[in-house]
Amino acid sequence: MFEMGGVDELDQAGVLAALASNRVARLEAEARELVLAVAWADLHNPDADLAGRGLEGVVLPGTEGVVRHGADGTPPVLEFAAAEFASVNGMHPAAGENLIGDGLDLRHRHPGSWAGVCAGMVRAWQARKVTHLTATAGLSRDQARWVDAQVVAYYNALPWVRFVKLVEAKIIEADPAAARERERAAALEQFVRTGQCNEYGLKTVVAKAAAGDVIFFVAMCDRIAAVLLQNGDTDPVDVRRAKAVGILATPTRAQRLLDDAATLDSDDSSDDADDAADGSGDTDAEDSDEAEGVDDPGSVGEQDVHPSQNDADDPTPQTHPCPTCAGDGVVAGDPSLFRRPARVDPGKLLPAATLYVHLSQAGFEAGTGGVARVEGVGPVTVEQACAFLAHTHVTIRPVLDVAGQVPVDGYETPAELREALQLRNPACVFPWATNTGRRKDGDHTIPYLSPDKGGPPGQTSAANLGLLARFAHRLKTHGRWRLRQPRPGVFFWRSPHGYYYTVDHTGTHPVPKTIGDAAWTSLNTGIDVHPAADDPVLDYETSHQVA
């Protein structure tokens, strides 16, 4: 344990010496983590491990398979291996897979970088970044080794940004044809993506589309921003452009706004024309009379305008090909696209979407200053929640009694009970899981047994159910992970090698092995599974606080 108090006694030279020593220790720790990841992969060689368990050649739905976490030239690994490694390291299984894959990439595809990491000369995260670049580019093992040989001497000689540029250049040199193909693929790639929501309920959208479409979309945002200003919106122009995105998401609302603005513009133009016609404008009346040439037969107007001429005498207009369309007549900015549609129910034009907003009674009654939680977004103010719900059909559901759900005998989980499970544990109940969506499996903690085969009644209940992502569900079913639920909503996990974790609504808490062993034995022998709150062994919600 690092002694924080000792820092106060250091002089300037002492602080620098401690900092240098700390850097060495950090490099050693990072290198050791990667070495352990590779060693764990070696211990989970598919051929040897499956044969040792008598599972060689066994392929059943959901059972453990073989995966390749690294790129070309790296050995395969058993699929479930990363889960336990990640949990002991305090990370999600996917993060464990990435760490193992990077370690294998370094050892097999980047031997120079691997040696630098193991010698404490290269930061692990920098070497991992290089492996990502070569793997993403699709380089073979030999090509990756060539890049590694070209750049390994520059890890500590160049600033990081310049070093990355060097790596990218060498990747192009390693396979110029593939680089050109990547450029073509990038040019063809079009997408619309969103980023994570920040703490204020704001979300970023990034789009890549045809240049003409993007230009016209931005121009339309500018047009709506200008209309909003005319209507009294004094927010900065960028804010009004952002509002335009939301307005364009509802076409009828955008059309109405633009129609109203066009009507006002037309009224202003008509007023100017009327002023000019009745002489109330800037036109001089006497000059106008002389220009008419009515009383002067020799005026110019008599030669140019014949009294009997009408529109039928006009020559046929010449046609010119459209320079921006392929003959279909549809071009960006075509005003005919804004023709008023047939009369329809505006409600039918709204997109089908479900937005889950969780709000306490106190926050609802206060109206301001409260906090709401929007699924997929996170915590927002009550005012922001109201803004989310604007212009939509809102259905207010009564408070669901999570604890009062009635157990059922059937295997299927009733909709109300599943909703209660989602409210009780919004995230997947596997250690350090990140999945907070609603597409998770409803897992029976104690496997369901049909009443026809002697199963007890009420097996499908809040006390025997948890929501698991599919991969976590497979780990529990086929990966030798064991699970108990001593209290509804409290999940007690045992890894294949005997590490324990408590997962509840507050997160994941590692359980000391001595406490975990005793608790697991008690649960398996039927000792009180709903203990008193002060029980030092079975109180899993506080066991993580025990040293």
Side-chain angles (χ1 to χ4, degrees), residues 7 212 341 389 418 504 534:
V7 175
L389 299 175
R418 184 177 178 89
D504 57 20
D534 57 353

Side-chain angles (χ1 to χ4, degrees), residues 131-295:
T131 68
H132 290 170
L133 291 173
T134 58
T136 303
L139 297 189
S140 66
R141 184 189 66 173
D142 292 340
Q143 290 170 336
R145 287 186 173 185
W146 181 84
V147 171
D148 179 66
Q150 298 295 312
V151 305
V152 67
Y154 297 94
Y155 268 105
N156 297 315
L158 292 177
W160 177 244
V161 175
R162 290 175 57 194
F163 177 77
V164 171
K165 296 297 183 183
L166 174 64
V167 174
E168 293 172 343
K170 294 303 179 182
I171 289 175
I172 294 175
E173 284 188 51
D175 194 344
R180 289 191 295 270
E181 188 62 32
R182 289 195 299 273
E183 288 181 358
R184 284 192 289 268
L188 294 174
E189 184 183 80
Q190 299 190 48
F191 63 82
V192 176
R193 296 175 186 153
T194 58
Q196 291 186 344
C197 186
N198 67 11
E199 65 270 27
Y200 302 110
L202 300 178
K203 206 173 184 68
T204 300
V205 59
V206 179
K208 182 185 289 186
D213 293 339
V214 172
I215 292 171
F216 182 62
F217 178 80
V218 173
M220 185 56 68
C221 288
D222 289 341
R223 167 61 176 155
I224 293 178
V227 172
L228 292 176
L229 179 63
Q230 293 174 357
N231 292 347
D233 191 331
T234 58
D235 282 339
V237 61
D238 282 339
V239 175
R240 286 183 277 117
R241 287 193 186 105
K243 291 179 180 180
V245 174
I247 293 172
L248 288 170
T250 308
T252 53
R253 182 185 176 197
Q255 181 177 350
R256 181 174 300 175
L257 186 72
L258 294 169
D259 283 348
D260 291 344
T263 300
L264 290 175
D265 292 341
S266 298
D267 291 342
D268 293 340
S269 299
S270 299
D271 291 341
D272 293 341
D274 292 342
D275 290 342
D278 62 13
S280 59
D282 296 333
T283 304
D284 187 358
E286 294 181 359
D287 292 343
S288 177
D289 290 340
E290 292 178 359
E292 286 181 8
V294 175
D295 299 328

